[in-house]
mmCIF file of all heavy atoms in Angstrom:
data_model
loop_
_atom_site.group_PDB
_atom_site.id
_atom_site.type_symbol
_atom_site.label_atom_id
_atom_site.label_comp_id
_atom_site.label_asym_id
_atom_site.label_seq_id
_atom_site.Cartn_x
_atom_site.Cartn_y
_atom_site.Cartn_z
ATOM 1 N N LEU C 100 -46.903 -60.937 42.557
ATOM 2 C CA LEU C 100 -46.395 -59.775 41.827
ATOM 3 C C LEU C 100 -45.107 -60.127 41.096
ATOM 4 O O LEU C 100 -44.179 -60.692 41.685
ATOM 5 C CB LEU C 100 -46.137 -58.613 42.791
ATOM 6 C CG LEU C 100 -47.398 -57.968 43.374
ATOM 7 C CD1 LEU C 100 -47.079 -57.181 44.617
ATOM 8 C CD2 LEU C 100 -48.043 -57.068 42.345
ATOM 9 N N ALA C 101 -45.062 -59.791 39.820
ATOM 10 C CA ALA C 101 -43.871 -60.028 39.004
ATOM 11 C C ALA C 101 -43.445 -58.719 38.355
ATOM 12 O O ALA C 101 -44.285 -57.923 37.929
ATOM 13 C CB ALA C 101 -44.152 -61.081 37.938
ATOM 14 N N ILE C 102 -42.142 -58.500 38.289
ATOM 15 C CA ILE C 102 -41.590 -57.240 37.778
ATOM 16 C C ILE C 102 -40.597 -57.540 36.661
ATOM 17 O O ILE C 102 -39.720 -58.402 36.801
ATOM 18 C CB ILE C 102 -40.882 -56.459 38.904
ATOM 19 C CG1 ILE C 102 -41.875 -56.130 40.028
ATOM 20 C CG2 ILE C 102 -40.235 -55.187 38.365
ATOM 21 C CD1 ILE C 102 -41.219 -55.587 41.285
ATOM 22 N N SER C 103 -40.750 -56.821 35.565
ATOM 23 C CA SER C 103 -39.791 -56.920 34.472
ATOM 24 C C SER C 103 -39.430 -55.510 34.015
ATOM 25 O O SER C 103 -39.994 -54.523 34.500
ATOM 26 C CB SER C 103 -40.367 -57.733 33.315
ATOM 27 O OG SER C 103 -39.373 -57.967 32.333
ATOM 28 N N ALA C 104 -38.519 -55.414 33.081
ATOM 29 C CA ALA C 104 -38.091 -54.104 32.587
ATOM 30 C C ALA C 104 -37.624 -54.238 31.141
ATOM 31 O O ALA C 104 -37.164 -55.300 30.718
ATOM 32 C CB ALA C 104 -36.965 -53.546 33.455
ATOM 33 N N GLY C 105 -37.753 -53.143 30.402
ATOM 34 C CA GLY C 105 -37.316 -53.137 29.012
ATOM 35 C C GLY C 105 -38.187 -52.246 28.161
ATOM 36 O O GLY C 105 -38.999 -51.463 28.672
ATOM 37 N N ASN C 106 -38.033 -52.364 26.869
ATOM 38 C CA ASN C 106 -38.777 -51.534 25.925
ATOM 39 C C ASN C 106 -40.105 -52.184 25.555
ATOM 40 O O ASN C 106 -40.161 -53.378 25.269
ATOM 41 C CB ASN C 106 -37.954 -51.308 24.652
ATOM 42 C CG ASN C 106 -36.717 -50.470 24.918
ATOM 43 O OD1 ASN C 106 -36.770 -49.500 25.666
ATOM 44 N ND2 ASN C 106 -35.597 -50.852 24.318
ATOM 45 N N LEU C 107 -41.161 -51.378 25.569
ATOM 46 C CA LEU C 107 -42.498 -51.839 25.217
ATOM 47 C C LEU C 107 -42.985 -51.146 23.953
ATOM 48 O O LEU C 107 -42.506 -50.067 23.593
ATOM 49 C CB LEU C 107 -43.483 -51.541 26.349
ATOM 50 C CG LEU C 107 -43.382 -52.390 27.614
ATOM 51 C CD1 LEU C 107 -44.317 -51.834 28.674
ATOM 52 C CD2 LEU C 107 -43.728 -53.837 27.324
ATOM 53 N N ILE C 108 -43.949 -51.766 23.319
ATOM 54 C CA ILE C 108 -44.606 -51.167 22.160
ATOM 55 C C ILE C 108 -46.022 -50.774 22.560
ATOM 56 O O ILE C 108 -46.775 -51.601 23.074
ATOM 57 C CB ILE C 108 -44.645 -52.146 20.971
ATOM 58 C CG1 ILE C 108 -43.223 -52.482 20.518
ATOM 59 C CG2 ILE C 108 -45.453 -51.563 19.814
ATOM 60 C CD1 ILE C 108 -43.161 -53.553 19.446
ATOM 61 N N PHE C 109 -46.349 -49.514 22.357
ATOM 62 C CA PHE C 109 -47.711 -49.015 22.579
ATOM 63 C C PHE C 109 -48.317 -48.759 21.212
ATOM 64 O O PHE C 109 -47.771 -47.985 20.424
ATOM 65 C CB PHE C 109 -47.680 -47.731 23.404
ATOM 66 C CG PHE C 109 -49.033 -47.091 23.581
ATOM 67 C CD1 PHE C 109 -49.812 -47.379 24.686
ATOM 68 C CD2 PHE C 109 -49.531 -46.204 22.636
ATOM 69 C CE1 PHE C 109 -51.054 -46.795 24.854
ATOM 70 C CE2 PHE C 109 -50.770 -45.615 22.787
ATOM 71 C CZ PHE C 109 -51.535 -45.913 23.902
ATOM 72 N N ALA C 110 -49.436 -49.412 20.919
ATOM 73 C CA ALA C 110 -50.014 -49.306 19.580
ATOM 74 C C ALA C 110 -51.504 -49.009 19.645
ATOM 75 O O ALA C 110 -52.278 -49.849 20.117
ATOM 76 C CB ALA C 110 -49.776 -50.604 18.805
ATOM 77 N N PRO C 111 -51.934 -47.820 19.199
ATOM 78 C CA PRO C 111 -53.376 -47.570 19.054
ATOM 79 C C PRO C 111 -53.931 -48.442 17.932
ATOM 80 O O PRO C 111 -53.275 -48.648 16.908
ATOM 81 C CB PRO C 111 -53.446 -46.083 18.680
ATOM 82 C CG PRO C 111 -52.100 -45.522 19.000
ATOM 83 C CD PRO C 111 -51.132 -46.646 18.840
ATOM 84 N N ILE C 112 -55.133 -48.958 18.139
ATOM 85 C CA ILE C 112 -55.775 -49.783 17.117
ATOM 86 C C ILE C 112 -57.213 -49.323 16.939
ATOM 87 O O ILE C 112 -57.768 -48.626 17.784
ATOM 88 C CB ILE C 112 -55.745 -51.282 17.486
ATOM 89 C CG1 ILE C 112 -56.433 -51.518 18.836
ATOM 90 C CG2 ILE C 112 -54.328 -51.813 17.507
ATOM 91 C CD1 ILE C 112 -56.615 -52.978 19.180
ATOM 92 N N GLY C 113 -57.814 -49.719 15.835
ATOM 93 C CA GLY C 113 -59.189 -49.340 15.560
ATOM 94 C C GLY C 113 -59.264 -48.134 14.646
ATOM 95 O O GLY C 113 -58.250 -47.633 14.142
ATOM 96 N N THR C 114 -60.477 -47.653 14.460
ATOM 97 C CA THR C 114 -60.689 -46.513 13.582
ATOM 98 C C THR C 114 -61.941 -45.760 14.005
ATOM 99 O O THR C 114 -62.801 -46.310 14.704
ATOM 100 C CB THR C 114 -60.830 -46.979 12.115
ATOM 101 O OG1 THR C 114 -60.930 -45.846 11.260
ATOM 102 C CG2 THR C 114 -62.061 -47.846 11.927
ATOM 103 N N GLY C 115 -62.041 -44.503 13.598
ATOM 104 C CA GLY C 115 -63.233 -43.710 13.898
ATOM 105 C C GLY C 115 -63.435 -43.522 15.383
ATOM 106 O O GLY C 115 -62.524 -43.114 16.101
ATOM 107 N N ILE C 116 -64.645 -43.852 15.857
ATOM 108 C CA ILE C 116 -64.947 -43.687 17.278
ATOM 109 C C ILE C 116 -64.712 -44.973 18.062
ATOM 110 O O ILE C 116 -64.988 -45.030 19.260
ATOM 111 C CB ILE C 116 -66.410 -43.225 17.480
ATOM 112 C CG1 ILE C 116 -67.386 -44.278 16.941
ATOM 113 C CG2 ILE C 116 -66.652 -41.879 16.842
ATOM 114 C CD1 ILE C 116 -68.831 -43.998 17.293
#
Side-chain angles (χ1 to χ4, degrees):
L100 290 161
I102 300 170
S103 187
N106 293 319
L107 287 173
I108 297 174
F109 175 93
I112 58 172
T114 185
I116 62 171

